[in-house]
Amino acid sequence: MGSWATLGPALMSLAGVVLGAGGSLLGQYLVSRASTRQLEVQQSAAHRAELKDVVLKFLSIASQVEKAALTRSDGGGTPGDAELGRLVDELWLAQAEIDLAARSEPLRGATYRYAFRLAEAARGEIADASALRGPQAQFMDAAYDDMWPGQRRAAGDPATSR
């Protein structure tokens, strides 16, 4: 009993030190984990913003190419070949920007396929706009998946209704 009187406080002090050190390490781990998660969220938001910009640029140019190519093939106004050629060059540059900004291979591939079909339309090899809708939809799906990986679109999202 006498040994407990001297050993007890020492053991309680040692247990307090161990609990304090364990609590401190656990706190540091939780702060580190939260900081890592916050950094991932910030990086993901920055990626989405960058990708959104290049996707919108690509879509703007794609729309111009489609309009110019299909107007020419319909026999309506005849845009200059030089202007159409310049638009196709801009389209391929915009495709390269997406290639650099994309995180996923599906987006890179879908962008290339859509740009290729638009270039075919510009060369007069495609006269029907419906031939562009499949590659365009695949591109939009891939862009969404690259910006928000693993998330499904809401049922009311206009991009899901095809």
Side-chain angles (χ1 to χ4, degrees):
M1 185 91 151
S3 64
W4 175 248
T6 56
L7 194 58
L11 287 176
M12 293 302 265
S13 295
L14 183 60
V17 168
V18 168
L19 283 174
S24 177
L25 289 174
L26 178 64
Q28 287 178 352
Y29 168 74
L30 292 175
V31 166
S32 172
R33 192 172 81 176
S35 296
T36 300
R37 179 68 186 132
Q38 185 178 19
L39 179 62
E40 288 172 357
V41 167
Q42 289 172 347
Q43 287 175 338
S44 182
H47 166 71
R48 273 193 307 275
E50 177 187 9
L51 189 59
K52 176 186 164 196
D53 289 342
V54 296
V55 164
L56 289 175
K57 178 181 176 183
F58 178 83
L59 286 172
S60 173
I61 297 168
S63 173
Q64 293 173 43
V65 169
E66 181 177 346
K67 184 185 289 183
L70 296 178
T71 299
R72 182 180 68 183
S73 67
D74 287 344
T78 306
D81 287 338
E83 176 65 16
L84 190 54
R86 183 190 62 75
L87 284 173
V88 171
D89 289 344
E90 286 183 28
L91 179 74
W92 285 115
L93 287 173
Q95 182 270 331
E97 286 183 51
I98 291 177
D99 205 33
L100 292 172
R103 285 186 178 165
S104 68
E105 192 57 39
L107 177 56
R108 290 182 185 103
T111 306
Y112 176 81
R113 287 186 296 276
Y114 184 34
F116 183 78
R117 296 296 285 187
L118 285 165
E120 286 180 330
R123 290 190 304 264
E125 297 172 16
I126 296 176
D128 185 14
S130 64
L132 298 172
R133 296 303 157 242
Q136 182 185 42
Q138 290 172 355
F139 166 75
M140 293 302 290
D141 288 343
Y144 184 91
D145 290 343
D146 197 272
M147 284 188 235
W148 293 281
Q151 292 186 8
R152 296 183 55 101
R153 292 189 207 180
D157 190 346
T160 59
S161 56
R162 291 182 206 136

